[in-house]
């Protein structure tokens, strides 16, 4: 029998990976640019709409996670409902989104640190896309990658404890920003929420799609379902909670930023929330906001590092990637080969620096849109393919995931179609998108030569859940075998 991942995460640790993995870094100090482009109303109201659309997608995740609480969530759902090809597309797109962010984090921490420690930006190595990569910055990124690798080598427990500590710090600082911002600021700083010559409806609608991508990574909970020592139903609920909690955190901190000072003034500052609270007389909170940027980078780095290895595990189990990636160390219950592969890819792309990696990040919106759409599709196709399958959780409003699916399609169109305001950069980002798809096509063709049957693939992906999926068939065979022979 194939070894399983060790069930080590409790509910709070699972939520820490989910929520803290979503709350990233740059939003806290780049919201000045967002306010300038969309207005405070466009950013916050558009983000609320984006959160609601993402929550609709999360309903599909919740249903499928409670039914199949297995590593690599989205890969499992697609394979079960649509087969091998769909599972590869889903997994490859998800890996593309996650490793793009991981590669960015390799040099992002040093970039942030350089604002306080200038000597970090010394000893230039090379320049790509007008961004110079410095030796200390690169060494810091390599060291961080090594630390997160080691935190997971002997089990996810230590990494989970570190994630919990950083998550708690983010929450405490965020609450302080919100309380001080709303108690010392004024609604007159927020209203009117749009510039005099703005188009409020258009600006709000334009920010919905970027707002959805703010929540990239809420599927972490589903990906880590096999690591969780909680009931499948609670894991499913955790997915929805992750979206609402992370989205609520974003909205409250951004609203507090536009409340503590006139948002038009914040729009002209360099570091968004950091500058706003400094100018309002709360230097310590400005520093706290910057600390959120550091912690958000670290929590996202750790969460996506763990999640990427679990996606590789699922694809290895189904022979969509080399089968050895699906191996689990029996002593520690960790996917050591997948962890090595994740570290290798992270460093292999991370050395390119922020100038090149920003191209990968922008294509991540397309990858995520595809993944979200595939999950919504799997939600509707699974009960059709397995009408007698018992699902522990079903949303009362079955049409809502479809609305989220439409939002996912809009994410894709918004990025691919030129002239939308969030279009990919021509030609670099379109080339990267094409190259990633081409590499995937080659790997899929190579893996197809050693593919296993659908039944074997399902057994490897689902483990104990396979018997549940085919429970009625098994019971029918047992009844047939127990009938007296004539």
């Amino acid at each position: 029998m194939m070894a399983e991942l060790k069930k080590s995460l409790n509910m709070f640790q699972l939520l820490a990976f989910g929520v803290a993995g979503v709350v990233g870094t740059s939003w806290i100090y780049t919201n000045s640019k967002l306010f300038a482009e969309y207005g405070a109303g466009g950013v916050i109201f558009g983000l609320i709409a984006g959160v609601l659309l993402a929550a609709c997608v999360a309903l599909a995740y919740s249903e499928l996670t409670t039914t199949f609480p297995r590593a690599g969530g989205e890969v499992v759902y697609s394979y079960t409902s649509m087969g091998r090809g769909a599972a590869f597309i889903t997994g490859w797109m998800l890996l593309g989104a996650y490793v793009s962010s991981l590669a960015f984090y390799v040099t992002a921490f040093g970039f942030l640190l350089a604002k306080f420690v200038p000597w970090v930006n010394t000893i230039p190595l090379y320049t790509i896309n007008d961004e110079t990569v410095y030796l200390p910055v690169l060494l810091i990124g390599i060291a961080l990658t090594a630390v997160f690798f080691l935190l997971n080598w002997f089990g996810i427990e230590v990494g989970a404890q570190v994630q919990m500590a950083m998550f708690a710090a983010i929450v405490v600082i965020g609450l302080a920003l919100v309380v001080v911002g709303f108690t010392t600021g004024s609604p007159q700083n927020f209203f009117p929420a749009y510039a005099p010559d703005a188009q409020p409806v258009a600006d709000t609608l334009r920010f919905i799609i970027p707002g959805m991508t703010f929540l990239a990574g809420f599927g972490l909970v589903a990906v880590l379902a096999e690591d969780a020592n909680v009931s499948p139903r609670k894991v499913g609920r955790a997915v929805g909670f992750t979206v609402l909690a992370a989205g609520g955190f974003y909205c409250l901190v951004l609203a507090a930023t536009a409340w503590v000072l006139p948002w038009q003034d914040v729009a002209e500052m360099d570091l968004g929330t950091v500058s706003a609270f400094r100018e309002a007389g709360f230097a310590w909170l400005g520093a706290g906001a910057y600390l959120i940027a550091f912690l958000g980078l670290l929590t996202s780095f750790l969460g996506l590092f763990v999640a990427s290895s679990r996606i590789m595990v699922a694809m290895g189990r189904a022979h969509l990637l080399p089968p050895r990636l699906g191996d689990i160390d029996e002593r520690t219950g960790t996917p050591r080969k997948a962890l090595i592969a994740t570290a290798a890819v992270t460093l292999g792309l991370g050395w390119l620096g922020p100038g090149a990696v920003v191209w990968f990040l922008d294509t991540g919106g397309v990858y995520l849109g595809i993944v979200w759409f595939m999950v919504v599709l799997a939600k509707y196709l699974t009960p059709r393919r397995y009408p007698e399958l018992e699902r522990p959780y079903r949303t009362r409003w079955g049409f809502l995931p479809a609305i989220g699916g439409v939002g996912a399609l809009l994410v894709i169109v918004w990025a691919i179609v030129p002239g939308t305001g969030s279009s990919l950069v021509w030609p670099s980002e379109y080339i990267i998108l094409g190259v990633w798809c081409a590499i995937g096509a080659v790997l899929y063709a190579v893996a197809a030569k050693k593919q296993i049957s659908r039944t074997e693939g399902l057994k490897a992906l689902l483990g104990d859940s396979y018997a549940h999926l085919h429970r009625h068939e098994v019971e029918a065979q047992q009844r047939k075998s127990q009938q007296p022979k004539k």
Side-chain angles (χ1 to χ4, degrees), residues 178-202:
V178 170
V179 171
V180 172
F182 281 113
T183 56
T184 64
S186 168
Q188 294 178 349
N189 292 332
F190 183 83
F191 296 104
Y194 300 87
D197 58 344
Q199 297 178 312
V201 175

Side-chain angles (χ1 to χ4, degrees), residues 64-190:
L64 293 166
T65 303
T66 56
T67 307
F68 306 115
R70 298 288 292 174
E74 295 94 333
V75 178
V76 177
Y77 315 149
S78 297
Y79 195 104
T80 304
S81 61
M82 293 173 277
R84 176 184 174 81
F88 184 87
I89 292 172
T90 302
W92 190 245
M93 292 297 103
L94 195 56
L95 273 180
Y98 284 1
V99 300
S100 296
S101 295
L102 288 174
F104 172 75
Y105 295 147
V106 171
T107 52
F109 190 86
F111 172 80
L112 287 177
L113 190 62
K115 293 186 178 296
F116 294 95
V117 188
W119 65 262
V120 170
N121 280 345
T122 59
I123 315 177
L125 297 177
Y126 43 83
T127 299
I128 300 178
N129 192 26
D130 298 326
E131 291 285 349
T132 300
V133 176
Y134 298 93
L135 179 60
V137 170
L138 188 58
L139 291 177
I140 289 170
I142 293 172
L144 273 178
T145 305
V147 168
F148 289 150
F149 174 79
L150 292 174
L151 282 177
N152 290 281
W153 184 253
F154 298 102
I156 199 174
E157 298 94 333
V158 177
Q161 292 171 3
V162 172
Q163 187 83 341
M164 277 286 293
M166 292 190 292
F167 175 53
I170 289 174
V171 171
V172 170
I173 297 170
L175 288 175
L177 289 168
V178 170
V179 171
V180 172
F182 281 113
T183 56
T184 64
S186 168
Q188 294 178 349
N189 292 332
F190 183 83

Side-chain angles (χ1 to χ4, degrees), residues 64-65 67-88 90 314 318 320 374 377-387 389 391 454-455 457-463 465-466 468-470:
L64 293 166
T65 303
T67 307
F68 306 115
R70 298 288 292 174
E74 295 94 333
V75 178
V76 177
Y77 315 149
S78 297
Y79 195 104
T80 304
S81 61
M82 293 173 277
R84 176 184 174 81
F88 184 87
T90 302
L320 300 173
M374 296 295 277
L377 198 58
K379 174 258 185 293
Y380 291 109
L381 291 179
T382 298
R384 290 177 177 271
R385 185 154 196 165
Y386 302 96
L389 177 67
R391 289 174 287 160
R454 174 177 168 79
T455 298
L458 284 174
K459 287 181 177 179
L461 281 173
L462 298 177
S465 299
Y466 178 82
H468 176 68
L469 184 69
H470 296 274

Side-chain angles (χ1 to χ4, degrees), residues 13 38 49 52 81 160 162 201 207 209 219 305 323 331 376 396 418 423:
Q13 292 169 333
Y38 302 97
L52 294 177
S81 61
V162 172
V201 175
F207 196 73
I209 304 305
F305 191 91
R331 184 172 58 86
V376 171
R396 296 179 181 178
S423 305

Side-chain angles (χ1 to χ4, degrees), residues 130-291:
D130 298 326
E131 291 285 349
T132 300
V133 176
Y134 298 93
L135 179 60
V137 170
L138 188 58
L139 291 177
I140 289 170
I142 293 172
L144 273 178
T145 305
V147 168
F148 289 150
F149 174 79
L150 292 174
L151 282 177
N152 290 281
W153 184 253
F154 298 102
I156 199 174
E157 298 94 333
V158 177
Q161 292 171 3
V162 172
Q163 187 83 341
M164 277 286 293
M166 292 190 292
F167 175 53
I170 289 174
V171 171
V172 170
I173 297 170
L175 288 175
L177 289 168
V178 170
V179 171
V180 172
F182 281 113
T183 56
T184 64
S186 168
Q188 294 178 349
N189 292 332
F190 183 83
F191 296 104
Y194 300 87
D197 58 344
Q199 297 178 312
V201 175
D203 286 344
T204 300
L205 292 176
R206 283 196 307 128
F207 196 73
I208 290 177
I209 304 305
M212 286 187 72
T213 59
F214 267 40
L215 298 163
F218 69 79
L220 279 172
V221 174
V223 172
L224 299 177
E226 191 176 324
D227 292 275
N229 190 25
V230 296
S231 70
R233 189 176 181 85
K234 290 182 178 179
V235 175
R237 289 175 177 172
V239 179
F241 180 84
T242 292
V243 173
L244 297 177
F249 184 85
Y250 280 133
C251 291
L252 286 172
V253 174
L254 289 171
T257 302
W259 205 271
V260 72
L261 285 178
W263 67 265
Q264 295 90 342
D265 294 345
V266 178
E268 297 178 358
M269 296 177 182
D270 293 330
L271 295 174
T273 302
V274 178
S275 298
F277 278 86
R278 284 177 179 171
E279 291 295 324
F282 304 102
W284 61 281
L285 274 178
Y290 217 87
L291 183 57

